[in-house]
Amino acid sequence: MKNVKRASFLLALISLALLFCFNTPVLAEKMSGDYLCELGKSFYNLGKYDDALNEFQKALVVDPDNQVAKDYVERIFKGNFADKKPASLVKSPEATDNQATFQAKESKNTVTTDTAPLDNSVKIQAMDEAMLKLKSLPETVVPAASAIVAPSAVVLPAQTSSAAATASNPLVVEAKKPEVLPAQPKTIETNKTVEANKVEATKEEAPQSATGDEGTKGIDKDAAKKGADKESSFIKKDEKGYKVGPLRVSGEAQLSFGVTPNDFIWKRANFDLNEKFLSWRMTSNAAYNRGFNTYDPAIYDSLSVNLDTENKEGFNFHTNLTVDPWSFTGKSSKMTVSNGSDTSDIQLYYWSNTGYTLNHTFFSNLQGLTLNLPELKVKDGKTVATTADGFVIPESKIDRQFQPIRELWVDYTNDKVKFRAFPMAYQDQAYTSDDPLLITNHGIWWKDSKWLRMYTPGQLHTGNTPVDFTKGYWDDSLSFISKDSTGKYLTALRGFSFNFQPQEATTFDATVATPKHLWQDYDVVDNVISASRLKHRFADNFMLGGTFTTRSGFKTSPQKLDSQNFVGGVDLGYEVIDGVKAQAEFLTSKSQYDMNNSDYETESRGNAYYFSFITRYPRSSIMDLKYGYDEIAMAKDEDLLVKSKFYVSRMDKGFDSALSDFHNTRQDVFWSRHIHFRKPMGYYSQGLEGSNTNWGELNSSRIGDGIDVGRNTLGFRLELFLEDRLNNLFDIRNVHNVNGKFIENVVRDELTVKVTDKLTAKALGIYQKMPRTVAGIDPYIYDGKTGEFFKNDAVPDGQDPSIKTGSLGLNYDFFDWLSLNGIYERTNDYTLAYGNFPQNILRNDTSLYGDYSQNDKYYSYVEPFLYGQGLFPQAPYEFYNVFKTGLRILPMKNLEIYLDYTRNEYETASLINDNMNHIGMEVTYMPTRKLGMSMKYIYSRCKDITENSSVYGLTDTPKGHHNFFSEFRYLPSKDDEVILQYGVGDTSSIGNFSSLDPYGGTMLTLDTQHIIRAYYRRRF
């Protein structure tokens, strides 16, 4: 074993050395161009377009293939910015692209420049002339490669509401405008201030002859020849990777290790360890579980390579090859195990990231008893014999598999057709419709797409009296847990997509796919999905569309069609006048499950109806906004925006959409029920770490809409934006079930006012009116898979569970370097404001305890229930107070200190957000652009959940917890970084887990974890 460790260590060192070696020619050949581009970007940001153009043209002389320089030169000429004097600060194209206003791509809402773009021939001539002039420059204009260091920023956590501080302090991350839809992961970067590093160079322009020729004075023919030789080079390097003939090669690599007092760790990672807020892990100490201190170590090595062609039309190819711990999986043969009176058919699934098999749930054949397989250690390719829930699991051999292909597809594109065949792809290839109800791929940001779910057939239990049956269902037990440590879902999609636009007014989209989980053989298909949509614009202000989806589930031994789901309907959009749009949609569904068992086959039908009325003031067309209300944003030349949405929805109880999830978007997200002064998402994307989420995704679903199966919903929202001085959101929804029974009334108002240049005030009010409680049914906690409320024996009958929240906050910027905020909250919300935590960890959601009869047949189902809930407040809920304050200090422009304190009368509030009783200090320091470090200490107090002989209780008084985390980051170049961490904090990229607080309040562990982790990452 020691030899293996030594060999691994040597291999890691060699790999690290090779990566640094590969970096050497890049620095020698490319840093000049990159440096000049950075200067150009800086001038562009300041509105100095002539200076920016000059720097980008220099970069093109050094590196004629520099795509960044080409793009900026194109934008400058296209916008006719040349020779303009800057009137104000202008955002760079990169910053604009990162804002999800949607006005730049798909909307008539786009604000165009006052002057018409230059004719294309004029642009080409101007660019050619500029290049000829620059080629006459002496070689001393370009700094020597050895003297150039590309500016790179280490992005560290920032807590501030001061716009001035954001502009002046490189530590502070500028808040993005809301994005609405899932976007590709982007790295949040600080503004790069490179004015001080400007290269001063004098140049002589080459005169042109009377005939328009370039002349001869100052022309460096050797340099021109050298550029031509480089142009013909087979391998080229730019910011997007390497160009190798027709292929572009890019990718990322990571090396890491960890050290604890008792162990040296080369590999240990499992993102599901972060999902403890909704799972059994907080009450377990098995395997890598540590109760409230459970976390994902995220220690692993990886190499990811992308191969792409870049033809504008015709065929293109893409593949992603990734070698990481999740590329190495394994499984046992299928086996039948027994508890003496019943049997269960099981299979063990192994993955290399933990060295354990997967925790998974099976049900017995005769009685439907639950068999929760634990995580079993794999040693020498085998698991040891064990017993689980009374079933004897024998020693099992694991057959290992290697699966490096994560993405593979071939495209064909012309002016009317786009076709893609993807034998392997991530969930982003699932089709997201733009009909008003989003009937395919709708869901909340942290959940896996319903396209990834496998089909599990129904099961007959002949050992019960009377005999009962469990229906087949679309199963997310493997797709949800199968994530790497960045939170990326690893279940693949196999299929093809097709887009056809025969004319500008007509489009047709279709996607057909089947999911494949990590342990599934490629030739096994358990369900097939299709989705298609046809749209036609009959007039500039009138559109008609139709959407149709299918899902078919199969038994696989032998292959037989077992279940089907069909959804289809029509929708229309009509813009009455500019800025006033009506939308309507009608859908119908039909489902058949367990078709191979005529006795227990079931069928359901249902309809869904939706109508909305959207307005915008000042009036401008919103007809082309693909996703409607959420895309409406203030244009650059506007200082006032008022937008509103009125909607009515009905979904029959029998309506069944197998491709969209409405259960998890009907209710408010916990962090949306508090006031915040920190800036969102500043904590989760640093250095080369990309975030799998963005603020737009979170913001669009933070307030529930009440829409779900079996519900009638009426809602209205009004938002007002007045420059940067005031914004207000008013939202109200009324929900009844389809039989008219009252479910909820929810009203909220959010107000932000910039009272003075130094003082900002925020207010939040929420009132959620609920019906009287029913004994044994929890009024708030429900199953995200079915939408049904949990059983809870602690809930009394006939009480009022309504909740109210009132909150007021002030932030005062004494100086650019000093600000103080305070928040007061009075509420009786013990559940939604905390994501139902810690109540929902005392749960059972894996047992077939539910039963009902239909057509004289008996059915059993998983009926989730909560236990030990007498530990927590029950309706009617008493009011309590929360006080929070934070002090931000910038002693130097590259040093930030943030102190915060919370006093909460609800002492069971724990680590899910910063409403927990605590005092904290955070220090971030960036001595240079290449070097950054942070430190965070939190002392918290809360009543802990304890276990005594399987009986759970709370400590009598709050217990204190110390948590210390520190991080050091070094960026040798813009493409690589070295990271050292001690402890476990919330300032690194966390990814997609349900209890993420984007404002930085979530703690992964209560106590300090004595672990040192080291990472080296590189992009190429």
Side-chain angles (χ1 to χ4, degrees), residues 183-195:
Q184 293 297 320
K186 293 179 173 64
T187 301
I188 300 176
E189 296 184 350
T190 55
N191 295 328
K192 299 181 177 67
T193 308
V194 295
E195 180 74 19

Side-chain angles (χ1 to χ4, degrees), residues 117-138:
L118 294 174
D119 180 78
N120 191 54
S121 60
V122 177
K123 289 190 294 183
I124 294 173
Q125 180 181 354
M127 292 175 69
D128 289 342
E129 290 177 357
M131 287 295 299
L132 290 171
K133 291 178 182 179
L134 283 166
K135 287 182 178 180
S136 69
L137 294 177

Side-chain angles (χ1 to χ4, degrees), residues 156-157 159 171 895-899 921-925 933-937 965 967:
L156 297 171
Q159 306 87 1
L171 282 171
L895 172 64
E896 179 174 11
I897 301 172
Y898 189 80
L899 307 173
M921 178 178 71
E922 185 172 348
V923 179
T924 58
Y925 178 52
M933 56 195 72
S934 67
M935 180 275 289
K936 188 170 186 178
Y937 169 76
F965 170 76
E967 180 176 81

